Amino acid sequence: MEPGLEKLRDEVFRRNPGESEFHQAVTEVFEALGPVVNRHPEYVESGILRRMCEPERQIIFRVPWVDDNGHVQINRGFRVEFNSALGPYKGGLRFHPSVYLGIIKFLGFEQIFKNALTGMPIGGGKGGSDFNPAGRTDAEIMRFCQSFMTELYRHIGEYTDVPAGDIGVGTREIGYLFGQYKRITNRFESGVLTGKGMSWGGSLVRPEATGYGAVMFADQMLRTRGASMDGQTVLVSGSGNVALNAIAKSQQLGATVLTASDSSGYVVDEDGIDLELLRQVKEVRRGRIAEYAEERGGRSRFVADGCVWDVPGTVAIPSATQNELDDKSALTLIDNGLVALAEGANMPCTQKATEHMIHAGVLFGPGKAANAGGVATSALEMQQNASRDTWSFEYTHDKLEQIMTDLHDRCLETADRYGTPGNYVVGANIAGFVKVADAMLAQGVI
Ligand code: GLU
């Protein structure tokens, strides 16, 4: 790392103690920025980078709610409004017991550059709660969402901050959040949240967009080597929204998907994952992944507590959560002949894993590029809301495809320009950073 950047990184670590995921996200960006600060020392001298690491606003609030047994529960809510140089803060809400400020800040920091890369006018932010939705009834989820929005509403708005989903927050939760926002404000302000249902301001393709986009990105990377997704054997981790749609798009493009996982283990299916069955188990029944293998039979099996990355494959789409793929798994995948990896989740690969992949010549699409299709389609949803229009599936899908292609090309071209051809990590970080930095410079000391 450049000495100037190293000093700055140490300062960020000192000012944000104990937030290891945020430290990791900052380190990844700083590692990649060496070539750009060498050429343009003004980015460091003007304090742009230091400013970027300090969120514009951080909101932490109490979320009290009553469970089905009449007991009062208390959770902590967060919204980190990180950067609004390019547009209103934009980014999802995560409901998961692991959530604390360090997770929200890592996600918000990533979101700044990801959103810049989409080419859409959106700033970066993220929020969520340490609420654990597992095992909660629908009524409990609703009461929690209503209480969460009772505080959040005063901080958001179509021109201010536009939340969406992330882990633990899907169309159901967005519905409860939107309903409460509407009651409190007495406004049908569809542009205040994205990921809405189709009959009340949602966009077609938004549910599919993150997973679809990640596979489109993998396909683009493979095309630089004269290959494509067609005929690949694909390893997907996770079984939430991103994973299911990554499986769908991989299959549409002619690949065989072998795996999916959840926190209890993984399934491997030598005949290719039966997506309809997996959706039935995970989306409809909200069950455990073992049920997939029990019902599918044949050449499928459930492996409890195993590591999904032990399965050989040519393309990996990690779509579960941060740091799910470590250096040991990276080496196993490389030994087993991995050709490409696109991060469907946010920061699923540890820093060492990423280094191994790049060193071994694996085509590596970092999350802020590869999973940007979700937020890009959120921006398309905002466009439709602003013009009170609804677009067809095909039209929206074509737009997503174009965005992913442009984004891929911009990363590649930037990596080339800065002397690291084929390195998408460098390309994505520099391209995202320069766009935000230039906007901040133009807007004065903000
Ligand atoms: N949570 C998603 C992400 O990580 C989507 C955010 C959005 O649509 O605003 O990019």
Side-chain angles (χ1 to χ4, degrees):
M1 190 182 289
E2 290 299 304
L5 289 170
E6 205 171 319
K7 206 165 137 245
L8 210 54
R9 184 202 55 184
D10 292 346
E11 187 187 314
V12 172
F13 283 17
R14 249 197 328 275
R15 284 171 63 82
N16 302 276
E19 297 175 356
S20 60
E21 296 83 2
F22 179 49
H23 297 175
Q24 186 182 339
V26 168
T27 303
E28 182 193 303
V29 172
F30 280 23
E31 293 274 10
L33 290 184
V36 84
V37 300
N38 270 337
R39 256 185 240 183
H40 302 283
E42 68 270 19
Y43 287 135
V44 175
E45 286 154 13
S46 59
I48 282 287
L49 255 177
R50 194 190 280 148
R51 279 186 263 160
M52 265 188 203
C53 294
E54 188 68 23
E56 289 177 19
R57 193 174 297 108
Q58 307 183 59
I59 303 141
I60 304 181
F61 52 98
R62 182 203 306 163
V63 189
W65 57 284
V66 181
D67 68 19
D68 285 351
N69 299 320
H71 295 136
V72 174
Q73 302 278 344
I74 303 294
N75 285 101
R76 191 170 286 176
F78 302 89
R79 187 71 184 166
V80 173
E81 299 179 334
F82 230 117
N83 195 301
S84 61
L86 300 182
Y89 310 106
K90 182 83 198 86
L93 298 170
R94 177 176 292 192
F95 292 169
H96 192 269
S98 64
V99 164
Y100 74 107
L101 189 58
I103 293 269
I104 300 298
K105 273 162 74 176
F106 119 64
L107 291 164
F109 190 68
E110 290 268 304
Q111 202 84 43
I112 303 170
F113 307 101
K114 183 196 308 195
N115 293 4
L117 275 173
T118 64
M120 318 291 283
I122 41 179
K126 204 85 188 192
S129 174
D130 58 0
F131 171 70
N132 186 1
R136 290 294 177 191
T137 63
D138 212 67
E140 289 177 318
I141 302 274
M142 181 182 75
R143 287 197 295 275
F144 175 80
C145 289
Q146 290 179 335
S147 180
F148 187 85
M149 185 52 86
T150 301
E151 171 59 32
L152 187 68
Y153 88 94
R154 69 189 87 242
H155 308 290
I156 62 176
E158 84 177 285
Y159 297 108
T160 313
D161 183 355
V162 183
D166 195 84
I167 294 172
V169 178
T171 311
R172 172 180 62 166
E173 289 74 17
I174 294 293
Y176 296 146
L177 291 164
F178 185 70
Q180 185 72 353
Y181 183 83
K182 192 160 59 63
R183 279 182 84 193
I184 296 173
T185 60
N186 192 28
R187 284 162 63 88
F188 195 103
E189 186 185 332
S190 43
V192 70
L193 292 169
T194 60
K196 299 180 293 296
M198 296 310 147
S199 61
W200 40 281
S203 172
L204 289 166
V205 192
R206 178 63 191 93
E208 294 85 359
T210 312
Y212 274 27
V215 175
M216 289 170 183
F217 195 89
D219 192 56
Q220 293 287 333
M221 292 197 295
L222 288 160
R223 283 176 191 279
T224 65
R225 296 200 186 152
S228 72
M229 282 298 287
D230 190 23
Q232 306 289 341
T233 48
V234 181
L235 311 172
V236 171
S237 63
S239 47
N241 169 274
V242 180
L244 292 172
N245 289 295
I247 294 171
K249 185 47 90 181
S250 299
Q251 292 176 342
Q252 284 168 27
L253 296 183
T256 304
V257 182
L258 296 181
T259 61
S261 68
D262 68 11
S263 55
S264 67
Y266 70 91
V267 289
V268 50
D269 190 338
E270 303 293 342
D271 294 319
I273 293 285
D274 175 344
L275 185 56
E276 212 162 303
L277 176 59
L278 188 61
R279 276 193 193 283
Q280 183 66 28
V281 170
K282 295 303 301 187
E283 276 189 335
V284 182
R285 283 189 242 154
R286 297 181 191 266
R288 305 311 298 170
I289 205 153
E291 296 166 35
Y292 172 89
E294 280 159 26
E295 283 165 50
R296 171 86 159 148
R299 296 199 297 154
S300 76
R301 62 181 199 283
F302 170 66
V303 184
D305 306 321
C307 178
V308 66
W309 310 120
D310 289 341
V311 179
T314 55
V315 174
I317 318 276
S319 306
T321 193
Q322 67 272 355
N323 292 327
E324 54 163 307
L325 197 163
D326 63 10
D327 49 333
K328 193 171 145 278
S329 297
L331 293 173
T332 308
L333 285 165
I334 293 163
D335 272 354
N336 286 338
L338 191 78
V339 177
L341 181 148
E343 291 187 323
N346 288 312
M347 211 167 71
C349 296
T350 64
Q351 210 161 336
K352 274 234 162 64
T354 306
E355 282 162 20
H356 284 316
M357 299 274 182
I358 290 173
H359 185 72
V362 172
L363 293 160
F364 186 92
K368 54 173 80 70
N371 73 37
V375 75
T377 310
S378 276
L380 300 179
E381 184 171 330
M382 291 163 73
Q383 279 187 21
Q384 291 168 79
N385 295 151
S387 59
R388 301 186 187 279
D389 201 358
T390 32
W391 302 343
S392 71
F393 190 94
E394 291 68 30
Y395 181 78
T396 318
H397 185 274
D398 286 354
K399 281 211 173 251
L400 169 63
E401 203 152 38
Q402 193 58 54
I403 289 168
M404 294 312 294
T405 308
D406 291 348
L407 198 156
H408 168 272
D409 294 351
R410 204 170 314 130
C411 292
L412 203 57
E413 189 254 315
T414 307
D416 244 6
R417 187 143 39 90
Y418 285 93
T420 53
N423 187 328
Y424 291 90
V425 175
V426 170
N429 281 299
I430 292 185
F433 167 78
V434 167
K435 184 151 187 206
V436 180
D438 288 347
M440 287 177 74
L441 278 171
Q443 292 171 24
V445 179
I446 56 162

